[in-house]
Amino acid sequence: MSSRRHGARRGDADTGGNPPARKAIRSAKLAAVPLAFAGRQVAGASKRAQGRPAGEIDREIQLRTAEHMAEVLGELKGCAAKLGQVLGIYELALPPELAEPYRIALGRLQDAAPPMLPRTVHAVLAASFGPDWRDNFREFDDRRAASATIGQVHRAIWHDGRAVAVKVMYPGARAAVDSDLRQLRGLAWLTPVFAPHTDGRAVVDELAECLRMELDFEAEARSQRRFADAYADDPDFRVPQVVAQRGDVIVGEWLDGIPLSHLIAAGAQDERNRVGMLAVRFFWSSAPRSGLLYGDPHPGNFRVLPDGRLGVVDFGACPAWPPAQFPALVHDLADALINGGPADLDLVTRQHGFTDDQRGLDSAGLAEKLLPFTELLRHETFRLDTEWLRGRTLDTMSPKLSNAYRQLGIPAYLMPFQRALVTLLGLIAQLGTTGPMRDEILRWSPELSAVMDRYRTRTGQPTDLNVVRLRRVGAAATGFAAG
């Protein structure tokens, strides 16, 4: 049977469907994206000269570029595919009419990466379980059931009759990630363009640690077992038990369910709200219940099970959490915003390493940008959708020198939480989730609960916080706390 019949793309005959690991090959593929874009622009100019509508040509260029980007990132997998997932969130900074083709194309990354050929899958299984690996299974389906950034999943029947998911790492994944990380470190000098006071090297090192965690299947299996124990018999969630882990293979219980991508595309809004709130609950409860942060809450890692529970998979990015300094940061930052004023916010940013005495901080301007995030705590029910998140993303990414975010340096230890929170916000925004987010977050965060208790005591308003009307922060001298 030809490789084309297995869904292989050009070049798979040499790699078996594995990500190309050689730095030159990966660099060439990435470099081809802007070059192809430039070529399309030249061709577009010619079409405009022939009378074709400019808007039609621009959209065609955007769509083809987005599809090319998705294809390249999907082929490279590793860090490049992770980058694609992040871009799937930050496309929110684009106007909707420009963002659509990128959203469509990048959304294919999780499920449309080129598959490993069966002979490659069998080789990994033999290396991990031994030449008689088939003895562990009654049945093994060579067709890929799902893909991940560093591997793919196959459905099988374990020797005791259980349906299982077999996660197999791409043989070239480690070399591919190492290659990407070398390139990423080489680009760390660009960090000041977006965050002038952030230690780009430290941030890249922290990101590298997160990515390397996903290459350690033994550690991933330990994390999955901790989550499975923490959520055993939970009425809202199902974490599959690990059946076996050897080498570059994890075998876990199979989950039948509806992918969240289907719900996002065509689900009823009531169900989208319910599932979005379950995702909020799982994320915020993960550290209190398991001692680990669930670090990758994107749609591909959740399933709506037939009994209504939310099934959760992929525990490769789950660091121990929280770090010692994190609870105090959460409390102090929220307290400054909700109960304090610009001077309090200025003090918090210095105490927690976001700024120092050598550089100035527009505390009132920063508060104005951060206050919208407190809306989740100030309303009994809140709707978080793409319009709201687009506004927050545009605020964050603005290149203007007046952007107060640019005055901050982000401590590297926050990278896992920041990455996970951005991913979660993207997920619940895509669902257009409306629900009691305040109560859900406060349930799992004693630090934020203490802040809100202080607010109620200070203002004498023990009930719905919808009555809160924070002052405009432009009048910095008068403070910006409510009440």
Side-chain angles (χ1 to χ4, degrees):
M1 183 178 293
S2 71
S3 62
R4 189 66 59 185
R5 291 285 298 277
H6 285 291
R9 300 184 184 185
R10 189 175 299 144
D12 282 350
D14 298 326
T15 67
N18 305 327
R22 289 175 54 194
K23 182 177 180 180
I25 296 175
R26 296 177 68 78
S27 298
K29 285 180 175 289
L30 290 170
V33 175
L35 289 175
F37 175 69
R40 293 186 192 104
Q41 287 184 308
V42 172
S46 175
K47 293 176 182 177
R48 290 186 190 93
Q50 296 172 15
R52 281 190 61 186
E56 177 185 317
I57 295 170
D58 288 343
R59 182 173 177 80
E60 181 179 293
I61 291 173
Q62 293 158 7
L63 182 58
R64 290 186 178 179
T65 300
E67 290 174 340
H68 186 193
M69 184 187 300
E71 180 178 355
V72 169
L73 294 177
E75 287 175 349
L76 295 179
K77 305 180 176 79
C79 299
K82 280 293 177 191
L83 173 62
Q85 292 176 3
V86 174
L87 289 174
I89 302 300
Y90 282 98
E91 54 86 15
L92 289 168
L94 298 172
E97 64 274 12
L98 296 181
E100 183 182 1
Y102 288 87
R103 179 169 58 252
I104 293 171
L106 291 170
R108 299 172 186 162
L109 277 172
Q110 184 64 23
D111 296 318
M116 281 189 284
L117 302 181
R119 58 181 170 81
T120 306
V121 175
H122 299 169
V124 177
L125 287 163
S128 300
F129 281 86
D132 298 325
W133 64 269
R134 286 190 181 276
D135 293 344
N136 294 283
F137 303 94
R138 290 187 185 179
E139 300 176 14
F140 184 90
D141 192 340
D142 283 341
R143 295 171 299 178
R144 179 186 64 180
S147 65
T149 54
I150 61 165
Q152 64 187 39
V153 178
H154 293 257
R155 184 183 173 104
I157 304 298
W158 195 240
H159 58 76
D160 62 5
R162 281 181 289 177
V164 293
V166 184
K167 185 176 179 179
V168 180
M169 187 185 299
Y170 301 117
R174 289 186 177 84
V177 168
D178 284 342
S179 174
D180 288 345
L181 289 175
R182 285 194 297 272
Q183 294 185 59
L184 194 58
R185 283 194 174 92
L187 295 174
W189 63 272
L190 286 171
T191 304
V193 175
F194 306 100
H197 303 294
T198 294
D199 184 343
R201 179 71 63 176
V203 169
V204 169
D205 286 344
E206 190 67 37
L207 177 60
E209 182 60 29
C210 291
L211 291 167
R212 288 206 173 97
M213 286 178 66
E214 300 189 35
L215 294 168
D216 186 343
F217 273 15
E218 183 178 353
E220 179 174 345
R222 286 197 302 269
S223 295
Q224 184 170 336
R225 290 187 178 103
R226 284 181 65 172
F227 272 92
D229 291 343
Y231 289 88
D233 302 319
D234 191 285
D236 296 316
F237 305 106
R238 168 95 186 275
V239 175
Q241 290 285 348
V242 175
V243 175
Q245 186 279 316
R246 297 181 193 173
D248 290 340
V249 177
I250 299 177
V251 181
E253 295 175 322
W254 179 267
L255 294 184
D256 277 316
I258 300 172
L260 257 59
S261 56
H262 294 183
L263 194 63
I264 290 169
Q269 190 58 56
D270 285 350
E271 178 68 355
R272 291 154 68 104
N273 294 340
R274 185 186 76 85
V275 171
M277 287 305 305
L278 286 178
V280 171
R281 179 177 302 170
F282 189 82
F283 174 77
W284 284 101
S285 68
S286 63
R289 293 182 65 169
S290 71
L292 303 173
L293 174 71
Y294 185 66
D296 207 3
H298 73 81
N301 288 338
F302 294 105
R303 300 284 187 275
V304 181
L305 305 185
D307 62 7
R309 287 184 295 172
L310 190 63
V312 189
V313 299
D314 198 342
F315 298 87
C318 298
W321 202 262
Q325 62 270 51
F326 183 73
L329 167 62
V330 171
H331 174 274
D332 295 349
L333 181 58
D335 199 39
L337 287 168
I338 293 174
N339 294 312
D344 300 286
L345 184 59
D346 186 82
L347 179 62
V348 167
T349 59
R350 296 178 192 282
Q351 286 180 334
H352 291 280
F354 290 88
T355 187
D356 56 38
D357 295 331
Q358 276 67 53
R359 60 181 188 265
L361 176 67
D362 177 10
S363 300
L366 180 62
E368 191 169 19
K369 289 182 176 295
L370 290 176
L371 280 173
F373 288 101
T374 69
E375 292 176 4
L376 279 71
L377 301 178
R378 293 189 286 115
H379 297 281
E380 182 177 17
T381 300
F382 187 75
R383 175 176 172 81
L384 201 160
D385 54 20
T386 54
E387 181 179 357
W388 182 88
L389 187 55
R390 180 173 290 112
R392 310 290 74 75
T393 307
L394 285 167
D395 276 349
T396 303
M397 298 181 67
S398 171
K400 295 181 180 179
L401 294 178
S402 59
N403 181 0
Y405 280 124
R406 290 174 55 84
Q407 300 169 5
L408 300 177
I410 308 301
Y413 80 88
L414 286 175
M415 277 296 297
F417 182 80
Q418 186 178 39
R419 168 192 166 193
L421 181 60
V422 167
T423 306
L424 174 74
L425 292 175
L427 166 61
I428 59 181
Q430 289 176 73
L431 288 166
T433 306
T434 300
M437 297 186 190
R438 180 191 72 194
D439 289 349
E440 195 61 64
I441 294 171
L442 296 184
R443 175 183 177 186
W444 303 105
S445 177
E447 298 80 22
L448 292 177
S449 292
V451 170
M452 301 313 295
D453 286 344
R454 183 185 172 199
Y455 169 79
R456 295 183 183 102
T457 300
R458 183 175 61 80
T459 63
Q461 296 177 357
T463 54
D464 185 7
L465 298 182
N466 279 323
V467 298
V468 174
R469 294 294 183 267
L470 293 182
R471 296 191 185 120
R472 300 291 296 179
V473 298
T478 63
F480 51 78

